[in-house]
Amino acid sequence: MKARIHPPTRSNLRRLAAELRRGGLVAIPTETVYGLAAHALDAKACRAIFRAKGRPANDPLIVHLLDLTHAEELAEFNDAARRVARRFWPGPLTIVLPKKPCVPGIVTSGGPTVALRAPAHPLARQLLALAKVPLAAPSANPFSYISPTTAAHVQQGLGKRIRHILDGGSCTVGVESTVLDLTHSTKPRILRPGAITAAQLEKVLKRKVATQNRSVKSKAVLLAPGMLERHYSPRTPLRLTTRPVAARQTALIFLRQPAGKQPANVYWLSQRGALEEIARNLYRVLREADAGGYRAIQLEKLPTTAGGLAAALNDRMKRAASR
Ligand code: TXA
Ligand code: MG
């Protein structure tokens, strides 16, 4: 079996929506990373996601939907959650709330809460509108490898395990959504940093948002399973450094393009150091360096003064470096 990459024509979208409705798996583009989608209310379809990814069953899935109205059918919203959903949806924000009974246990790893997100990518939205069902979707990569930001990345990782990939080009955000726990409306907590920052959330919620930026080593910890330390990792040993320096069989990844002509082992994440551009390119460049046959990768750290997206980028870079 080799997955087919489908161009986003109207008839392909209709066919893939039908495939999802009858319990099939389809890898879909979102603005953050590609997701491996299945009918969220079909437990059997969701089990197939875990199988295809090799994902442990104690790592729950994010459910994607069109808007707040659809989200309220799946979870118990509070006013704080409604406020952030109205402000940041559609977009790269996932909200964790008490689940309603219709959400199968396989989606939440048996837990009482469900993670919800309305993606902004136009193709994800068209597919949701055509399928008319919520879609459970983790990132479309084999468990613990780097998340995919193109259809070709999905093909490389899961091409032998799934049949359908919808091609939506390169993801515009490039790192996974912010996961915000609002189970207790007065105790908002970021479980995973992303493009929507703590400062943005605090402004809307009008209170302090806790950041649990602590990784856990044990797979048994269900609290925030995405916080497993080794995650988003290349296979080549990677070290974070303030200044990459040439070494034998080593790939060097800089934040911005170095001046002058560079040898093949030199990579960069942006032209001028803009964080949005770094986020967009990070996973692609990590994959390229990982595929280069090097013994080691050195990745330049962000300056400590960087704000905004820096929390998410630092988090992913540290995880990529953890062994
Ligand atoms: O941007 C994204 O969020 C992408 C795209 C496809 O939407 N999805 C994604 O899914 O990154 P995944 O499965 O790779 O990461 C989901 C994260 C994990 O850290 C998981 O533990 C957490 O969300 N999560 C899911 N349900 C949860 C819940 N009920 N409570 C706490 N954390 C939850
Ligand atoms: Mg993932």
Side-chain angles (χ1 to χ4, degrees), residues 14 18 27 42 72 83 153 165 177 234 244 249 284 306 312 318:
R14 242 186 249 117
D42 179 338
E72 299 225 25
R83 227 173 313 134
H153 293 166
I165 304 169
S177 62
Q249 292 178 34
R284 175 183 56 79
K318 279 191 196 130

Side-chain angles (χ1 to χ4, degrees), residues 33 53 55 59 138-141 143-145 147 176 192 231-232:
V33 300
K53 274 187 63 100
R55 180 179 177 112
D59 196 355
S139 50
N141 51 296
F143 182 67
S144 93
Y145 195 62
S147 294
E176 301 82 351
R192 179 177 70 185
H231 217 93
Y232 319 105

Side-chain angles (χ1 to χ4, degrees), residues 263-284:
N265 67 322
V266 172
Y267 300 79
W268 51 89
L269 299 172
S270 71
Q271 301 289 306
R272 294 204 177 77
L275 295 180
E276 286 74 18
E277 193 185 353
I278 291 172
R280 226 170 14 245
N281 291 325
L282 177 65
Y283 289 158
R284 175 183 56 79

Side-chain angles (χ1 to χ4, degrees), residues 85-315:
R86 285 199 188 104
R87 172 67 184 78
F88 298 107
W89 280 0
L93 177 71
T94 295
I95 308 175
V96 174
L97 289 166
K99 82 175 194 80
K100 287 191 172 170
C102 61
V103 180
I106 178 88
V107 171
T108 65
S109 299
T113 61
V114 63
L116 303 172
R117 171 163 114 80
H121 196 294
L123 294 176
R125 300 188 65 74
Q126 283 176 48
L127 209 52
L128 280 164
L130 289 165
K132 297 192 177 67
V133 294
L135 296 176
S139 50
N141 51 296
F143 182 67
S144 93
Y145 195 62
I146 304 161
S147 294
T149 53
T150 66
H153 293 166
V154 180
Q155 172 84 267
Q156 284 154 23
L158 296 176
K160 292 198 178 108
R161 293 158 167 244
I162 62 174
R163 286 169 56 194
H164 305 290
I165 304 169
L166 174 60
D167 193 355
S170 296
C171 300
T172 52
V173 175
V175 294
E176 301 82 351
S177 62
T178 304
V179 179
L180 175 68
D181 181 1
L182 270 172
T183 312
H184 305 288
S185 62
T186 55
K187 287 187 197 143
R189 204 162 50 120
I190 291 180
L191 302 179
R192 179 177 70 185
I196 306 295
T197 64
Q200 283 177 293
L201 293 166
E202 284 173 350
K203 215 167 138 194
V204 174
L205 291 170
K206 299 196 175 63
R207 63 168 79 236
K208 185 88 187 127
V209 173
T211 48
Q212 178 210 274
N213 220 341
R214 176 177 55 90
S215 60
V216 286
K217 290 191 169 136
S218 159
K219 290 189 185 169
V221 179
L222 237 173
L223 178 66
M227 299 288 119
L228 284 177
E229 186 169 317
R230 188 169 160 75
H231 217 93
Y232 319 105
S233 309
R235 304 212 164 77
T236 316
L238 180 147
R239 194 165 62 80
L240 271 174
T241 167
T242 46
R243 198 171 61 95
V245 284
R248 215 165 55 83
Q249 292 178 34
T250 300
L252 309 179
I253 306 178
F254 292 91
L255 295 172
R256 49 165 84 194
Q257 180 172 13
K261 190 164 159 49
Q262 299 296 326
N265 67 322
V266 172
Y267 300 79
W268 51 89
L269 299 172
S270 71
Q271 301 289 306
R272 294 204 177 77
L275 295 180
E276 286 74 18
E277 193 185 353
I278 291 172
R280 226 170 14 245
N281 291 325
L282 177 65
Y283 289 158
R284 175 183 56 79
V285 173
L286 283 177
R287 280 168 177 268
E288 284 171 13
D290 201 23
Y294 299 102
R295 276 186 21 196
I297 300 172
Q298 290 181 27
L299 171 60
E300 184 180 355
K301 272 188 203 165
L302 291 177
T304 50
T305 51
L309 257 172
L313 287 170
N314 279 325
D315 173 74

Side-chain angles (χ1 to χ4, degrees), residues 7-67:
T9 61
R10 193 70 194 163
S11 64
N12 281 343
L13 284 166
R14 242 186 249 117
R15 235 174 288 148
L16 294 174
E19 177 70 19
L20 286 163
R21 281 182 71 83
R22 61 173 174 263
L25 298 185
V26 179
I28 65 168
T30 83
E31 73 277 29
T32 57
V33 300
Y34 275 70
L36 181 58
H39 188 328
L41 304 180
D42 179 338
K44 201 170 152 216
C46 293
R47 264 195 294 278
I49 292 179
F50 287 86
R51 267 200 308 278
K53 274 187 63 100
R55 180 179 177 112
N58 67 357
D59 196 355
L61 306 176
I62 295 175
V63 177
H64 298 69
L65 24 76
L66 275 176
D67 53 35

